Amino acid sequence: MSNLSIIILCGGFGTRIKPSIGSKPKILAPIGESTFFDYLTNWLELSFNKLNYEIILSLGYGSEEIINYSSKKTFKFKYSTEPNQQGTLAAAGLASSYSDAKDLLVLNGDTIFD
């Protein structure tokens, strides 16, 4: 059982960034030799390394590509995929049902902050 479930909302269509990255999910946007996904998950690892946590990826658009990419990482992610996208709150609610922790942290999959 985890102390904390971190839900990353990464199922949006990315319409504003689409001219730069094409059909790629925005969490997989390339940044130099890496992806935003790598920067975000590395930041989480450094920030929460003293906690027993899990990461739940809340998926929609591009879910297969995100699952394929994340499954190659050493961290074992949980996945929550909306059958029909219904917005941010519905996505977070569905993802929280996959949690085994008392505490939840919900993050956007396109933002890093201290």
Side-chain angles (χ1 to χ4, degrees):
M1 178 177 225
S2 302
N3 296 331
L4 174 67
S5 289
I6 301 171
I7 297 170
I8 301 176
L9 301 170
C10 49
F13 292 104
T15 53
R16 290 184 298 259
I17 196 171
K18 197 171 286 298
S20 297
I21 64 170
S23 62
K24 185 174 292 303
K26 63 183 169 179
I27 197 165
L28 298 180
I31 301 175
E33 299 294 317
S34 198
T35 65
F36 186 81
F37 180 91
D38 294 325
Y39 281 99
L40 180 59
T41 54
N42 289 339
W43 174 78
L44 290 172
E45 184 178 340
L46 291 172
S47 300
F48 295 97
N49 64 354
K50 295 185 176 157
L51 294 177
N52 177 20
Y53 68 95
E54 65 181 1
I55 297 176
I56 303 168
L57 300 177
S58 175
L59 305 170
Y61 174 78
S63 59
E64 287 182 33
E65 191 172 354
I66 296 168
I67 290 169
N68 287 338
Y69 187 86
S70 63
S71 67
K72 296 173 186 161
K73 305 297 177 183
T74 57
F75 193 92
K76 297 297 178 212
F77 298 92
K78 288 185 176 180
Y79 304 100
S80 169
T81 305
E82 286 186 283
N84 301 308
Q85 289 187 275
Q86 299 177 356
T88 304
L89 184 58
L94 178 61
S96 71
S97 70
Y98 290 85
S99 171
D100 66 1
K102 182 182 94 173
D103 295 314
L104 298 171
L105 174 62
V106 180
L107 300 174
N108 287 319
D110 59 3
T111 307
I112 295 178
F113 57 92
D114 247 346

